[in-house]
């Protein structure tokens, strides 16, 4: 606690010691100071300052000069610039004062702990004044009697210090008062000016760093006077159309000086001034006549003056004054041209004469009318025709030929020289060559190659090409010696102009040659809109409409087609601007593409809208290559199917729509024993007279005895198989019984003679009709034929299954001889011979009928009782009994190949032989 208190007391003591003030005579003295005090320094020079400590302050705080710290504002000066001279003096040196700033302070560290400011000075930096240059003086005339001399000089660089300028002057024997500038440092005005005496003038300048003086000049103030300009200028017209007279007043007396003049003039609507030759106005005067002016033209005049000997200065220009020259005859005829119109007759044409109004400088007055004269050249013989018009055009209907046309313009003074134009029958002269047009100096320049030296003049036509307006033709004429010219008209940028040059000769005219040009080009206003004309698998045909002239803004140099897939890189194709169609190739199939077009002029390009399309999955002909063979194969299949169905029409008819016989057209009477001549089933008379059947035989055939017959024996029965196959297509499902008795299993022929398998099929069969047609009971037993191939029921095939038992079998045996128990191999050959002798001759048709004939065992029980069925059978037995024994023929010996059903091994087939020899089935 005591140590801390002692440290505080010690610091307070040191501060009081350093800052102690000794009061002596009322002045406060510090413990040190800096020399020099508030210096003014030159920028870039060396500077050294000294800080000196007072001896009286050194004993209080053990202060030493090596404890001094120099600062510029708040920045410490590097100690490398310090130098301790002794215990009380420390110096600091600056090699370049441009880095020095104010204030510069001297500070000290008491006991190395507390920094205390000892002293500070303000440093001023600047430059010494330079010698004034270019001293000159001029005497301004303020009025007729008052003059002021103004001298000016170049003060030199800025010194950054307060600098004093003074203009000194003296006569040879007297020094005049100094002229001090007010607010400026480069001029001063002296109001007391005396002429005809020499005056010496110079400039002195000084500041804290030095002083300077300009060169001395001597002059007579009258030789440096700038007089006032003439005033009250007037312009008057004379009798001549090319002369105007000027008059004015001078503002300086001849006693003081004589003057010379400078006169200028210009046409009122022109900015270009013209001057009267100086030698014409080099003497004192107050008027002048200006000649060689243009008639009926407004001119503007102005003049100035100066000392006659040329010393001094020109006055300002006087106020402008205008005047108009009198009228004169037009100096030239109006420019003349023609436009050929549509003719309604082959022997005449329509000519539109046009001419331009004369320029104001050429009209020399107000044009009142135009006179047009048309003269025909031989071989046409017609008097000249004259027209007087107030407009600048005239339409003529002329007969085919060559004409001379002249036009004169008239004002109040007279008429102009005539303007001539030759209208030839045809343009047979040479045309210009290599016509070009391009911008030059902000205008549109046209140049060409001269076709012939005999060209009198050229007519240049041009019009602005636009889709929204017609091409309005403008034209101008140039001399025959010209090879180029600027178009004289309102030529607009970004617009296309068609320019045509016509050479005119003394005796004819050449065809015009044309070109197109732009005064200034820009990027197109829009890009082309692209579409697809045709899209294939690997290519796409793009089409677009050319940009209109108004949208081009310049010459289209080329088109760029940019296309890409959604995820692919962009490809670019440049296309000639004359094309409107392009084919993109090497594309991917079934792919979406994005395409756009850009149109480029000399100034850049503009893009059109993006268009998308998808390439096809199949190329041209690929679908046809697939579809056509498939269609051909399909058509061929249909054709083969039709042919097959046509060849198998009988089989198809059999299975799809079987032939149903018409009972009214039945041929049962042709083979039934007592069938009448006509199928009159409604008659109750006997249907079959006695003697209709000559014989009935029963042939027993074993199913497996085909091998015992020779080929010659079986030949007669081959027709049986064919007849059977043919008849199957015409079979019906109607049974012979009117009660629709059930069918039975029948014998079938084998189609494959070498096959080991026996296939069973149905054959046509016949049944005995026990009742009449439609419930009519016939008086005589008849046989009804059925062509149905439906198998017989077992009850019809096997007698033992019949409910009637042996009673019903007895009558059947009387008609058919059963010999199924006898072996066919034991059949006696003599028995076969005897049967052939007894049996009447049988033809081939009879054999067929024999093989296919079957008689059903019994009728359906629905048709009647047993006795009713036995009656016909007994009657049939009576008829057949006399010759039954002798007419039994074994079919085994004939070689019939009969395939029986496995369950039924034998079949009994009745033979009914008519007297006519036909064996019906």
């Amino acid at each position: 606690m005591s140590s801390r208190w002692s440290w505080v007391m010690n610091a307070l003591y040191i501060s009081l010691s350093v800052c102690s003030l000794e009061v002596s005579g009322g002045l406060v003295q510090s413990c040190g100071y800096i020399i020099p005090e508030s210096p003014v320094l030159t920028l870039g020079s060396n500077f050294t300052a000294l800080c000196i400590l007072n001896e009286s302050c050194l004993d209080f705080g053990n202060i030493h000069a090596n404890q001094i710290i120099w600062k510029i504002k708040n920045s410490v000066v590097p100690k490398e610039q310090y130098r301790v001279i002794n215990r009380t003096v420390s110096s600091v040196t600056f090699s370049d004062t441009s880095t020095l700033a104010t204030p510069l302070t001297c500070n000290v560290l008491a006991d190395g702990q507390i920094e205390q400011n000892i002293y500070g000075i303000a440093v001023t930096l600047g430059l010494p004044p330079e010698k004034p240059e270019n001293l000159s003086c001029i005497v301004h005339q303020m009025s007729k009697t008052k003059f002021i001399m103004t001298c000016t000089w170049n003060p030199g660089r800025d010194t950054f210090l307060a600098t004093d300028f003074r203009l000194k002057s003296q006569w040879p024997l007297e020094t005049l008062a100094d002229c001090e500038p007010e607010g400026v440092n480069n001029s001063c005005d002296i109001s007391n000016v005396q002429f005809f005496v020499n005056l010496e003038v110079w400039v002195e300048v000084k500041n804290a760093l030095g002083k300077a003086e300009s060169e001395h000049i001597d002059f007579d103030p009258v030789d440096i006077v700038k007089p006032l300009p003439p005033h009250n200028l007037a312009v008057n017209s004379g009798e001549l159309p090319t002369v105007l007279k000027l008059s004015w007043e001078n503002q300086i007396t001849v006693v003081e000086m004589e003057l010379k003049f400078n006169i200028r003039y210009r046409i009122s609507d022109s900015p270009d001034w013209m001057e009267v030759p100086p030698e014409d106005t080099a003497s004192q005067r107050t008027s002048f006549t200006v000649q060689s002016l243009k008639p009926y033209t407004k001119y503007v005049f102005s003049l100035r003056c100066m000392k006659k000997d040329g010393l001094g200065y020109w006055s300002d220009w006087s106020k402008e004054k205008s005047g108009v020259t009198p009228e004169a005859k037009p100096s030239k005829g109006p420019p003349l041209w023609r436009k050929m119109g549509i003719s309604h007759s082959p022997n005449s044409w329509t000519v539109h004469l046009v001419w331009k109004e004369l320029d104001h400088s050429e009209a020399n007055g107000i044009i009142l009318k135009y006179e047009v004269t048309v003269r025909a050249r031989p071989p046409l013989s017609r008097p000249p025709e004259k027209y007087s018009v107030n407009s600048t055009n005239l339409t003529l209907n002329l007969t085919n030929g060559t004409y001379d046309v002249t036009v004169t313009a008239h004002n109040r003074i007279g008429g102009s020289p005539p303007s001539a134009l030759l209208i030839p029958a045809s343009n047979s002269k040479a045309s210009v060559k290599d016509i070009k047009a391009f911008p030059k100096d902000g205008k549109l320049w046209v140049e060409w190659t001269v076709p012939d030296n005999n060209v009198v003049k050229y007519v240049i036509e041009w019009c602005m090409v636009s889709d929204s307006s017609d091409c309005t033709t403008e034209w101008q004429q140039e001399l025959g010696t010209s090879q180029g010219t600027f178009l004289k008209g309102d030529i607009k940028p970004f617009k296309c102009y068609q320019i045509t040059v016509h050479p005119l000769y003394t005796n004819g005219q050449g065809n015009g040659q044309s070109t197109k040009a732009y005064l200034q080009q820009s990027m197109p206003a829009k890009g082309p809109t692209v579409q697809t004309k045709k899209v294939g698998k690997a290519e796409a045909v793009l089409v677009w409409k050319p940009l209109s002239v108004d949208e081009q803004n310049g010459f289209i140099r080329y088109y760029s087609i940019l296309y890409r897939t959604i995820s692919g890189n962009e490809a670019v194709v440049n296309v000639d601007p004359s094309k409107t169609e392009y084919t993109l190739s090497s594309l991917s199939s079934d792919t979406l593409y994005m395409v756009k077009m850009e149109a480029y002029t000399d100034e850049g390009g503009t893009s059109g809208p993006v268009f998308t399309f998808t390439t096809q999955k199949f190329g041209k002909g690929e679908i046809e290559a697939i579809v056509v063979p498939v269609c051909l194969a399909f058509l061929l299949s249909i054709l083969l199917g039709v042919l097959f169905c046509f060849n198998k029409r009988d089989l198809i008819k059999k299975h799809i729509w079987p032939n149903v016989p018409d009972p009214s057209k039945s041929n049962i009477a042709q083979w039934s024993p007592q069938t009448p001549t006509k199928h009159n089933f409604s008659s109750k008379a006997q249907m079959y007279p006695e003697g209709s059947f000559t014989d009935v035989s029963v042939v027993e055939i074993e199913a497996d005895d085909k091998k015992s017959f020779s080929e010659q024996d079986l030949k007669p029965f081959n027709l049986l198989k064919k007849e059977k196959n043919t008849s199957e297509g015409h079979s019906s499902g109607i049974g012979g019984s009117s009660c629709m008795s059930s069918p039975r299993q029948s014998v079938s022929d084998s189609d494959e003679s070498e096959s080991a398998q026996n296939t069973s099929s149905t054959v046509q069969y016949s049944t005995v009709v026990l009742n009449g047609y439609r419930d009519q009971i016939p008086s005589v037993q008849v046989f009804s034929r059925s062509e149905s191939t439906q198998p017989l029921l077992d009850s019809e095939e096997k007698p033992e299954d019949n409910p009637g038992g042996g009673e019903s079998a007895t009558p059947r045996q009387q008609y058919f001889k059963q010999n199924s128990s006898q072996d066919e191999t034991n059949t006696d050959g003599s028995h076969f011979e005897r049967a052939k002798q007894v049996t009447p001759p049988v033809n081939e048709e009879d054999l067929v009928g024999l093989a296919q004939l079957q008689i059903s065992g019994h009728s359906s029980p629905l048709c009647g009782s047993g006795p009713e069925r036995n009656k016909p059978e007994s009657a049939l037995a009576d008829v057949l009994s006399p010759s039954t024994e002798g007419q039994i023929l074994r079919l085994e010996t004939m070689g019939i190949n009969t395939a029986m059903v496995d369950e039924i091994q034998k079949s009994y087939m009745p033979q009914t032989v008519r007297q006519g020899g036909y064996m019906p089935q």
Side-chain angles (χ1 to χ4, degrees), residues 508-525:
Q509 177 180 325
N511 288 320
Q513 298 296 318
S514 300
T515 187
K516 291 183 178 180
Y518 283 86
L519 176 62
Q520 183 180 351
Q521 298 189 52
S522 179
M523 295 185 299

Side-chain angles (χ1 to χ4, degrees), residues 265-480:
Y265 62 96
R266 63 179 175 86
I267 299 175
S268 61
D269 56 356
S270 174
D272 300 326
W273 288 95
M274 296 171 284
E275 290 186 359
V276 175
E279 59 271 15
D280 294 342
T281 57
S283 60
Q284 178 77 27
R285 64 181 61 223
T286 58
S287 64
F288 185 81
T289 299
V290 182
Q291 301 177 358
S292 301
L293 301 178
K294 294 181 180 181
Y296 199 70
T297 303
K298 184 178 182 180
Y299 286 93
V300 178
F301 294 90
S302 179
L303 73 161
R304 63 182 177 174
C305 63
M306 71 176 300
K307 191 178 179 184
K308 183 179 180 180
D309 58 8
L311 297 178
Y313 300 90
W314 283 102
S315 69
D316 293 332
W317 289 100
S318 67
K319 293 181 179 181
E320 295 179 355
K321 195 69 174 179
S322 62
V324 180
T325 56
E327 283 189 79
K329 292 181 180 181
S331 60
K332 60 181 294 187
L336 178 62
W337 186 232
R338 89 291 179 275
K339 297 179 182 179
M340 307 306 295
I342 300 175
S343 176
H344 300 285
S345 173
N347 297 325
S348 64
W349 52 19
T350 301
V351 179
H352 300 283
L353 295 178
V354 292
W355 55 88
K356 291 181 178 292
E357 293 183 353
L358 292 173
D359 292 339
H360 185 78
S361 60
E362 298 171 343
N364 295 337
I366 300 175
I367 302 300
L368 302 177
K369 65 178 179 177
Y370 297 94
E371 289 186 357
V372 181
T373 303
V374 180
R375 293 181 176 89
R377 286 191 178 185
L380 296 177
S381 59
R382 52 187 299 180
E385 297 179 1
K386 293 185 178 182
Y387 304 89
S388 179
V389 294
N390 296 325
S391 61
T392 57
N393 59 80
L394 178 64
T395 300
L396 301 175
N397 293 320
L398 303 177
T399 306
N400 293 346
T402 303
Y403 295 86
D404 289 312
V405 178
T406 59
V407 177
T408 57
H410 292 262
N411 60 14
R412 287 179 293 181
I413 305 301
S416 68
S419 297
L421 176 67
L422 176 65
I423 303 177
S426 62
N427 298 333
S428 58
K429 298 298 181 179
S431 303
V432 297
K433 301 176 182 178
D434 303 328
I435 181 173
K436 298 177 183 177
F438 49 88
K440 180 179 179 181
D441 299 332
K443 300 179 181 180
L444 198 55
W445 174 263
V446 184
E447 63 182 23
W448 58 88
T449 301
V450 177
D452 196 335
N453 294 329
N454 296 325
V455 177
V456 176
K457 58 185 175 181
Y458 296 95
V459 174
I460 296 94
E461 290 183 329
W462 74 89
C463 69
M464 185 174 66
V465 181
S466 176
D467 297 324
S468 58
S469 62
D470 296 333
C471 188
T472 303
T473 302
E474 298 183 40
W475 57 278
Q476 67 187 52
Q477 288 184 352
E478 299 295 332
L479 297 176

Side-chain angles (χ1 to χ4, degrees), residues 654-682:
K654 173 183 175 183
H655 289 285
I656 297 179
W657 56 85
N659 186 18
V660 179
D662 189 355
S664 64
K665 299 179 181 180
S666 175
N667 55 4
I668 190 171
Q670 297 179 6
W671 62 274
S672 298
Q674 297 180 1
T675 299
T677 305
K678 296 184 178 180
H679 294 252
N680 187 7
F681 294 105
S682 62

Side-chain angles (χ1 to χ4, degrees), residues 774-808:
R774 295 185 178 179
D775 298 332
Q776 297 179 11
I777 300 175
S779 60
V780 181
Q781 176 65 46
V782 297
F783 294 93
S784 177
R785 178 186 182 186
S786 174
E787 296 180 355
S788 175
T789 58
Q790 183 175 357
L792 298 175
L793 299 177
D794 292 341
S795 61
E796 295 177 327
E797 180 68 24
K798 298 180 181 181
E800 60 270 21
D801 295 337
N802 195 336
E807 294 179 359
S808 62

